Amino acid sequence: MGALSVKHLLGIKYLKTSDIQTIFSTADRFKEVLSRPIKKIPSLRDITIANLFFENSTRTRISFELAEKRLSADIVNFSASSSSVKKGETLIDTVNNILAMKVDMVVMRHPAPGAPVLLSRHIDANIINAGDGINEHPTQALLDAYSIRERIGCVAGKKIVIVGDIMHSRVALSNIFCLKKLGAKVMLCGPPTLIPKFIDTLGIIVEYDIRKALEWCDVANILRIQLERMEHTADGKTVRYFPSLREYALYYGVNKQLLDSLKNEVIIMHPGPINRGVEITSNVADSKQSIILDQVENGVAIRMAVLYLLAGKVME
Ligand code: CP
């Protein structure tokens, strides 16, 4: 098992397919560690990690923190809402001040696309992108592909549809890059207003009919409508990409009746947070077809693998 070809995890677009395979095989070893009664190993006891969250998170933040603790790293947590960012401090100044306290790695979520790339040009520490605006969310795509591999054996040749608000989704872009590198067939499905123009140039299929998309696929990754990333009009109202959430649910919501009417059994994924009753109904999210909680569980092993490999550690 070799080290990665990159110093930072800024996006899936910068990874080689062999990097993804190395992360997966390392995560396999950490899944075994996580099944033990004592889930902690000393691999990163010489490493200090800062978790910098400039945007809200539940899963990613807790998952990274758990991964770091399982590897015995020292960690510091930073939340923009309770920091000197509120007094006007810049991103580079904030991070350089934290690094002056001898931090080795930075996990960062930021609303601005490209913020982790900018940071990587100014600091020496390894940077892991935990989601940058509408750009990329690389560890989410890695845990998604890893969960598909776990459930159906491999990703190559499998048909995966990503459903919903593609336009505002960093999960969609990272998934497209990751799944394509692993040899999957990728389809996007959603209202035309939420699918970026020319996205088919990435070598993917676009389908606007949810039934046809579900009939085609092995796996459906259902995304949330990202109202918080949609533009606002001068009077403060959110720009409308579709008439109403009720209408969205009617045309693009994945419900049990729709799934049960298909000849094929579709594996259901969702990166969270879920808006139950909008993009997915509860009886689908909580069904046997759903691997949503497997995704969350696998997130810890994947993040352990990323941290371990970027710290320059190599498994025997
Ligand atoms: N999937 C995901 O990124 O969830 P959080 O926003 O809760 O971290």
Side-chain angles (χ1 to χ4, degrees):
M1 221 178 276
L4 301 180
S5 67
V6 290
K7 176 181 176 185
H8 313 285
L9 179 58
L10 301 174
I12 300 289
K13 115 175 123 192
Y14 304 107
L15 294 183
K16 294 181 176 165
T17 303
S18 59
D19 291 324
I20 300 173
Q21 303 291 11
T22 302
I23 292 168
F24 285 2
S25 46
T26 307
D28 288 340
R29 305 276 284 272
F30 287 131
K31 271 211 84 161
E32 186 277 314
V33 170
L34 293 172
S35 71
R36 297 178 193 165
I38 296 172
K39 299 170 177 53
K40 199 165 172 133
I41 51 174
S43 305
L44 296 192
R45 67 184 163 192
D46 55 334
I47 300 288
T48 303
I49 304 173
N51 298 312
L52 313 184
F53 279 73
F54 294 84
E55 200 183 65
N56 293 344
S57 169
T58 299
R59 278 147 293 273
T60 312
R61 185 175 185 147
I62 291 174
S63 183
F64 266 113
E65 198 171 328
L66 266 178
E68 292 154 3
K69 286 182 169 163
R70 301 295 191 221
L71 292 167
S72 305
D74 286 327
I75 61 175
V76 280
N77 292 317
F78 164 96
S79 205
S81 57
S82 57
S83 73
S84 291
V85 169
K86 291 277 169 208
K87 302 176 198 163
E89 192 169 42
T90 66
L91 173 62
I92 306 283
D93 280 342
T94 300
V95 176
N96 270 328
N97 276 272
I98 292 168
L99 292 182
M101 299 180 232
K102 309 291 177 218
V103 167
D104 304 294
M105 304 178 89
V106 172
V107 174
M108 185 173 78
R109 170 167 287 192
H110 200 282
V117 172
L118 174 76
L119 209 55
S120 72
R121 293 187 185 140
H122 287 86
I123 67 170
D124 277 338
N126 307 92
I127 297 162
I128 300 166
N129 179 4
D132 60 328
I134 61 168
N135 183 35
E136 279 225 42
H137 191 351
T139 55
Q140 180 68 47
L142 289 166
L143 74 88
D144 288 346
Y146 185 82
S147 301
I148 294 170
R149 167 185 177 265
E150 180 180 72
R151 182 64 169 242
I152 52 179
C154 70
V155 176
K158 295 293 185 295
K159 295 176 182 170
I160 323 289
V161 63
I162 306 170
V163 182
D165 182 0
I166 312 298
M167 179 86 82
H168 302 98
S169 173
R170 55 194 174 208
V171 174
L173 196 57
S174 284
N175 260 270
I176 291 167
F177 290 140
C178 190
L179 294 168
K180 291 292 294 174
K181 282 178 198 258
L182 293 172
K185 297 183 178 110
V186 183
M187 176 184 276
L188 302 178
C189 180
T193 49
L194 289 177
I195 300 205
K197 284 194 180 98
F198 310 117
I199 191 106
D200 54 341
T201 56
L202 294 178
I204 47 175
I205 309 160
V206 176
E207 170 61 66
Y208 299 113
D209 183 319
I210 184 72
R211 170 175 290 281
K212 286 185 185 159
L214 292 174
E215 279 170 352
W216 172 85
C217 72
D218 301 303
V219 179
N221 197 352
I222 319 289
L223 305 181
R224 179 175 68 89
I225 298 293
Q226 309 232 348
L227 290 173
E228 76 278 17
R229 296 198 199 284
M230 294 182 185
E231 305 82 9
H232 290 88
T233 57
D235 58 354
K237 293 195 175 126
T238 306
V239 170
R240 282 174 176 248
Y241 286 81
F242 48 87
S244 67
L245 286 178
R246 192 159 169 267
E247 189 158 323
Y248 180 86
L250 198 63
Y251 282 96
Y252 288 99
V254 178
N255 58 54
K256 191 153 181 354
Q257 195 186 6
L258 176 58
L259 283 186
D260 287 350
S261 71
L262 304 173
K263 291 199 184 83
N264 51 325
E265 184 164 305
V266 178
I267 294 163
I268 299 294
M269 303 175 70
H270 194 305
I274 294 174
N275 287 154
R276 289 173 185 261
V278 180
E279 72 274 9
I280 190 168
T281 55
S282 281
N283 55 6
V284 171
D286 304 331
S287 69
K288 286 207 182 84
Q289 283 169 254
S290 162
I291 58 166
I292 294 172
L293 291 180
D294 297 333
Q295 291 172 257
V296 178
E297 183 182 337
N298 287 333
V300 179
I302 283 288
R303 290 177 174 120
M304 286 171 80
V306 167
L307 293 163
Y308 180 88
L309 291 163
L310 287 181
K313 314 281 178 183
V314 181
M315 285 204 178
E316 298 302 312

